[in-house]
Amino acid sequence: MSEAEDFLKVARAAREAATVLAPLPRAPKDAALRAIADALVAGVDEIIEANAADVTKARESGTSEAMIDRLRLDAGRVEKIAEAVRQVADLPDPVGEVVRGSTLPNGLELRQVRVPLGVIGIIYEGRPNVTVDAAVLCLKSGNAVLLRGSSSAYASNTVLVRIMQEALATTEVPAGAVQLVPGLTRESVGHLLRARGLVDVLIPRGGASLINSVVEQATVPVIETGVGNCHVYVDADADIDMALTILINAKAQRPSVCNAAETLLVHADIAEAFVPRALAALKDVGVTVHGDERIRAYGADVVPATEEDFFAEYVSLDIAAAVVGSLDEAVSHIRRYGSAHTDAIVTRSQAAARRFTATVDSAAVAVNASTRFTDGGEFGFGAEIGISTQKLHARGPMGLPELTSTKWIYTGDGHVRV
Amino acid sequence: MSEAEDFLKVARAAREAATVLAPLPRAPKDAALRAIADALVAGVDEIIEANAADVTKARESGTSEAMIDRLRLDAGRVEKIAEAVRQVADLPDPVGEVVRGSTLPNGLELRQVRVPLGVIGIIYEGRPNVTVDAAVLCLKSGNAVLLRGSSSAYASNTVLVRIMQEALATTEVPAGAVQLVPGLTRESVGHLLRARGLVDVLIPRGGASLINSVVEQATVPVIETGVGNCHVYVDADADIDMALTILINAKAQRPSVCNAAETLLVHADIAEAFVPRALAALKDVGVTVHGDERIRAYGADVVPATEEDFFAEYVSLDIAAAVVGSLDEAVSHIRRYGSAHTDAIVTRSQAAARRFTATVDSAAVAVNASTRFTDGGEFGFGAEIGISTQKLHARGPMGLPELTSTKWIYTGDGHVRV
């Protein structure tokens, strides 16, 4: 069979499974998730064996040890993956929730009810645990899932998907509801991107280049996730100690994640009091500052910032920094260079907080808090499939309800329009 | 200037206007809408003059009188357009609505608030009144709008947009918030479809071929609207008189609209009692029936249905019809041939109604009611920009809230992650 036929086969199987899965209530879905968790634990040897093959291949191709650590699975990690599956089973089911409802003047009863999206395509890089995480979030919300992971984890993903399918085969959820997209070539991704009618939505999880290529090529609707060039703006009226605490937390508490700060903006009126202390505090935690001219006036070891620095999502111990003349200038900078993920203001001024939250057009705006809180777990969602940085359908952390659509149901007793 | 430069100029003007418009509260937006209504009435002579040029051109190119009637504006129609604008001003503002909110365990106050989408591109065919309708719905929900109407209404649309811009110039809403996409060529649409970063969402309103070409080419996210191949399924347990009333209303009350029925499905157990009466009733109102073999057994003047008939959105006094062996077979037929707009069941059985509403995956599912109720006006939205037949962001009739996104705002007093 050709790759295109291989793809059509799994996509159709997912579509068919989706029609059986969609109307299922919570109990059989939770039972299926628990069966998956048990099967993963039971299959730990198989999983580790397949993963070892991926690790060997990665090492041979010169992958860094940091990346290999992300790829590697051991018994403890498999147990953690299974535990996360059980936690998803414990979450409420978004499907069936009545979002709105009314009785129309003519007596027609109208309800808007959450329903599954159908078939979700997840395109992701990195760790094989995402294979299981993404699959069970889709299943819990009544969706079938087509998984397209990184080629470096293909052996691991193949075994993980097979174990999930075998577990589902013992439950009311059809085994076909979880599918690995076959093939490792660029073309095999192309089939998924253009499978309009078979796939209802694509969620790319990864770096900006992955996401851009998906958006460029896809005819299936896409939810963009995750690129984070987050800003901390220190207002003229900021509490300096608070600003320092927030800055260091936002930048350095976990620099590798999308809600870490990548740019510091400082109001000119507070620059003299704040910037020298900020530079010292950033240096203490090992952060390199890429500053504009006015920042560089306060520190000899500030690297000159280029325009690329202000666009950058470093995901490392680097930060761009600039002095701005006003709050509005800070907002303009964020609009121009930011990724509309999370931007924070530190201020004692109610008026400044109001203007900043009203005019910064990002998925999340933080007032006197670290950007690191933009997270499904922190927001109390219990689970997160990603953080949407687009405006349609879902914006910010996406939990289970964001993996659903709605359906209008209206009931009469022979109602006709007049 | 080239066409591409012309487009960039208006798109950037819209983007800039959007940043001023987005944070405006309701009062100045309503005032701007009322200024537009007054200006349209005041400019009626100019509008009719430009429209007359469009009408002359259409007549010269052999356009049908029915289409010319849709294109034509007179003083009464302009007054009606202005009145519709005033009605939109009277609607509640979706922007600023707190969708969800909580205080997190650490004391962080979390709110999810409705915000405008930004810049909306509307691509539409047909009547020039859509130019004003679409523009004011976007403005009311805080969005700037790029309008790309039919080339047959270009002179009318040009004057309507200029009048709206001049009216806005006297208000707090920037005049640049309403823009006509310059040019009449296919390329001029292409610029709009690929204006990612400048345009936040595209809403095509028109036939299936327009919508498909937009989805195929766009890199900007699209909300698909309007194609309606709606079904009426008469269950084994239907009240026959009710089924006849609903069928005739759904098919014939206004056959030109997307929520009119295009296919009748009849359970085999009720076919003998129902189909002859249905054929007679449909004949009475001038409907041609395209039936499968089992339907044709009941009427000599039933036209044999091809597979294309079951896919067809006739938008005319035609209906496809088939006998099905079971409710599940009806659902499978709807999945295969339908457009997931609105599908109705007529039944006395609670179990049948439950199964139909659970398994039919359409924007709206009607129980013992005509498909014609799927409409923003009927649902009580006060206004409608279109009916979404996709699953992301909005599904079914779209009112003002569907023209918004959300933003998370969280407020602390120096909160950091631990």
Side-chain angles (χ1 to χ4, degrees):
Chain A
M1 273 204 300
S2 76
E3 205 177 65
E5 285 164 342
D6 282 344
F7 173 76
L8 274 181
K9 197 180 146 197
V10 302
R12 288 200 182 118
R15 181 94 256 158
E16 207 170 301
T19 67
V20 178
L21 171 54
L24 285 185
R26 176 173 174 175
K29 290 189 286 189
D30 288 357
L33 264 53
R34 296 208 169 88
I36 285 176
D38 293 346
L40 290 168
V41 173
V44 61
D45 292 342
E46 248 190 306
I47 296 169
I48 292 174
E49 193 186 323
N51 182 253
D54 284 333
V55 166
T56 303
K57 229 175 90 187
R59 213 165 249 140
E60 283 169 7
S61 68
T63 307
S64 73
E65 282 306 309
M67 288 298 289
I68 283 175
D69 184 58
R70 288 164 61 92
L71 178 60
R72 200 175 51 82
L73 292 175
D74 56 27
R77 285 182 175 179
V78 172
E79 181 52 61
K80 269 193 187 154
I81 292 172
E83 191 43 43
V85 174
R86 292 192 187 99
Q87 283 166 13
V88 173
D90 288 341
L91 292 174
D93 184 354
V95 173
E97 186 198 340
V98 178
V99 178
R100 284 186 275 184
S102 63
T103 301
L104 301 184
N106 59 9
L108 213 52
E109 282 181 11
L110 181 66
R111 303 283 179 269
Q112 187 183 26
V113 178
R114 280 202 191 284
V115 296
L117 284 164
V119 177
I120 299 178
I122 313 268
I123 304 166
Y124 55 103
E125 294 167 337
R127 295 189 258 203
N129 63 315
V130 174
T131 305
V132 179
D133 283 355
V136 299
L137 290 171
C138 291
L139 293 177
K140 173 82 188 192
S141 50
N143 297 290
V145 61
L146 288 171
L147 297 157
R148 183 32 159 103
S150 154
S151 57
S152 65
Y154 196 69
S156 313
N157 289 342
T158 302
V159 168
L160 289 169
V161 168
R162 184 170 48 71
I163 288 175
M164 288 193 279
Q165 289 176 334
E166 285 168 3
L168 290 178
T170 68
T171 75
E172 285 183 52
V173 173
V178 176
Q179 300 283 353
L180 193 67
V181 174
L184 289 166
T185 64
R186 281 201 161 270
E187 287 69 41
S188 70
V189 192
H191 300 309
L192 178 58
L193 301 184
R194 285 186 295 277
R196 211 177 145 222
L198 282 171
V199 179
D200 294 289
V201 58
L202 295 172
I203 307 179
R205 292 177 56 166
S209 72
L210 170 73
I211 290 164
N212 282 330
S213 93
V214 168
V215 169
E216 278 295 323
Q217 295 171 58
T219 55
V220 174
V222 177
I223 301 179
E224 298 177 43
T225 64
V227 176
N229 175 9
C230 302
H231 296 71
V232 173
Y233 165 61
V234 179
D235 188 45
D237 210 0
D239 175 312
I240 287 180
D241 289 326
M242 186 193 288
L244 289 170
T245 311
I246 287 173
L247 170 66
I248 298 303
N249 184 261
K251 176 67 254 181
Q253 194 243 1
R254 200 171 164 203
S256 63
V257 290
C258 63
N259 60 17
E262 305 290 12
T263 302
L264 165 68
L265 299 173
V266 182
H267 193 290
D269 291 355
I270 204 172
E272 197 165 329
F274 176 74
V275 176
R277 291 186 59 191
L279 294 179
L282 287 165
K283 195 176 179 178
D284 277 354
V285 292
V287 174
T288 303
V289 178
H290 305 252
D292 72 352
E293 205 172 309
R294 287 181 286 183
I295 293 285
R296 292 206 304 280
Y298 297 105
D301 45 10
V302 175
V303 180
T306 63
E307 187 151 39
E308 282 68 49
D309 283 302
F310 292 110
F311 279 116
E313 187 190 21
Y314 293 115
V315 214
S316 63
L317 286 171
D318 292 82
I319 195 166
V323 172
V324 291
S326 65
L327 184 149
D328 286 350
E329 201 188 304
V331 173
S332 298
H333 181 107
I334 290 168
R335 274 186 187 278
R336 183 174 159 77
Y337 296 102
S339 66
H341 186 299
T342 301
D343 301 294
I345 183 173
V346 185
T347 188
R348 282 178 295 219
S349 157
Q350 182 64 16
R354 252 177 78 91
R355 180 144 185 92
F356 190 83
T357 54
T359 56
V360 169
D361 186 26
S362 299
V365 184
V367 178
N368 294 337
S370 170
T371 56
R372 292 274 295 110
F373 287 107
T374 303
D375 175 272
E378 293 293 320
F379 280 13
F381 294 177
E384 181 187 284
I385 190 90
I387 296 178
S388 163
T389 51
Q390 66 171 39
K391 291 186 186 172
L392 277 195
H393 185 72
R395 200 175 190 206
M398 292 189 288
L400 291 170
E402 283 70 29
L403 294 179
T404 65
S405 181
T406 56
K407 178 198 280 186
W408 290 96
I409 298 173
Y410 51 85
T411 307
D413 46 21
H415 283 66
V416 293
R417 264 185 85 169
V418 283
Chain B
M1 272 205 300
S2 75
E3 206 177 64
E5 284 164 342
D6 283 345
F7 173 77
L8 273 181
K9 199 180 144 196
V10 303
R12 287 198 182 119
R15 181 94 254 159
E16 207 170 300
T19 67
V20 178
L21 171 54
L24 285 184
R26 175 172 176 175
K29 288 189 288 190
D30 288 356
L33 263 52
R34 295 208 169 87
I36 285 176
D38 293 347
L40 290 169
V41 173
V44 63
D45 293 342
E46 246 190 306
I47 294 168
I48 291 172
E49 193 187 321
N51 182 253
D54 284 333
V55 166
T56 304
K57 230 176 87 187
R59 210 164 254 141
E60 283 169 9
S61 68
T63 307
S64 73
E65 282 305 310
M67 288 299 289
I68 283 175
D69 184 60
R70 286 164 61 94
L71 177 61
R72 199 175 52 83
L73 292 174
D74 57 26
R77 287 184 174 180
V78 172
E79 182 52 63
K80 267 193 189 155
I81 292 172
E83 190 44 41
V85 174
R86 291 191 187 97
Q87 282 167 11
V88 173
D90 289 340
L91 292 174
D93 185 354
V95 173
E97 186 199 340
V98 178
V99 179
R100 283 186 275 183
S102 63
T103 301
L104 301 184
N106 60 10
L108 212 52
E109 281 180 13
L110 181 67
R111 302 284 179 269
Q112 186 184 26
V113 179
R114 279 202 191 284
V115 297
L117 284 165
V119 178
I120 299 179
I122 313 268
I123 303 166
Y124 55 103
E125 294 166 337
R127 295 188 259 203
N129 63 316
V130 175
T131 305
V132 179
D133 283 355
V136 300
L137 289 172
C138 291
L139 293 176
K140 173 81 188 194
S141 49
N143 297 291
V145 61
L146 288 171
L147 297 157
R148 182 30 159 103
S150 152
S151 57
S152 65
Y154 196 69
S156 314
N157 290 342
T158 303
V159 168
L160 289 168
V161 168
R162 184 170 47 70
I163 288 175
M164 289 193 278
Q165 290 176 334
E166 286 168 5
L168 291 178
T170 68
T171 74
E172 285 182 54
V173 173
V178 177
Q179 300 283 352
L180 194 67
V181 174
L184 289 167
T185 63
R186 281 202 161 270
E187 286 69 40
S188 70
V189 192
H191 301 309
L192 177 57
L193 301 184
R194 309 188 64 81
R196 208 174 148 228
L198 282 170
V199 180
D200 294 290
V201 57
L202 295 172
I203 306 180
R205 291 176 54 165
S209 71
L210 170 73
I211 290 164
N212 282 329
S213 95
V214 168
V215 169
E216 278 295 323
Q217 295 170 56
T219 55
V220 174
V222 177
I223 301 180
E224 297 177 44
T225 65
V227 176
N229 175 9
C230 301
H231 296 70
V232 173
Y233 164 63
V234 180
D235 188 45
D237 208 2
D239 175 313
I240 287 181
D241 288 326
M242 186 193 289
L244 289 169
T245 313
I246 287 174
L247 170 65
I248 297 303
N249 185 262
K251 175 66 254 180
Q253 195 243 2
R254 200 170 163 205
S256 64
V257 290
C258 64
N259 59 18
E262 306 290 12
T263 303
L264 165 67
L265 299 174
V266 183
H267 193 289
D269 292 354
I270 205 171
E272 195 165 331
F274 177 74
V275 176
R277 292 185 59 190
L279 294 179
L282 287 164
K283 194 175 182 180
D284 277 354
V285 293
V287 173
T288 302
V289 178
H290 306 253
D292 72 352
E293 206 172 308
R294 286 181 287 183
I295 293 284
R296 292 205 305 279
Y298 298 104
D301 45 9
V302 175
V303 179
T306 63
E307 187 151 39
E308 283 66 49
D309 283 302
F310 291 109
F311 280 115
E313 187 189 20
Y314 293 115
V315 214
S316 64
L317 285 171
D318 291 84
I319 195 165
V323 172
V324 292
S326 65
L327 185 148
D328 286 349
E329 200 187 309
V331 173
S332 297
H333 181 109
I334 291 168
R335 278 190 185 273
R336 179 172 163 79
Y337 295 102
S339 67
H341 186 298
T342 301
D343 301 294
I345 182 173
V346 186
T347 187
R348 283 179 294 220
S349 156
Q350 182 63 16
R354 252 177 79 92
R355 178 142 187 95
F356 191 82
T357 55
T359 55
V360 169
D361 187 26
S362 298
V365 183
V367 178
N368 294 337
S370 171
T371 55
R372 293 273 296 109
F373 287 106
T374 303
D375 174 272
E378 293 294 320
F379 281 11
F381 294 176
E384 181 188 284
I385 189 90
I387 295 179
S388 163
T389 50
Q390 67 170 41
K391 292 187 187 172
L392 276 195
H393 186 71
R395 200 174 190 205
M398 293 189 288
L400 291 169
E402 283 70 29
L403 295 178
T404 65
S405 181
T406 57
K407 180 198 280 186
W408 291 97
I409 297 173
Y410 52 86
T411 307
D413 45 21
H415 284 65
V416 292
R417 262 184 87 169
V418 285

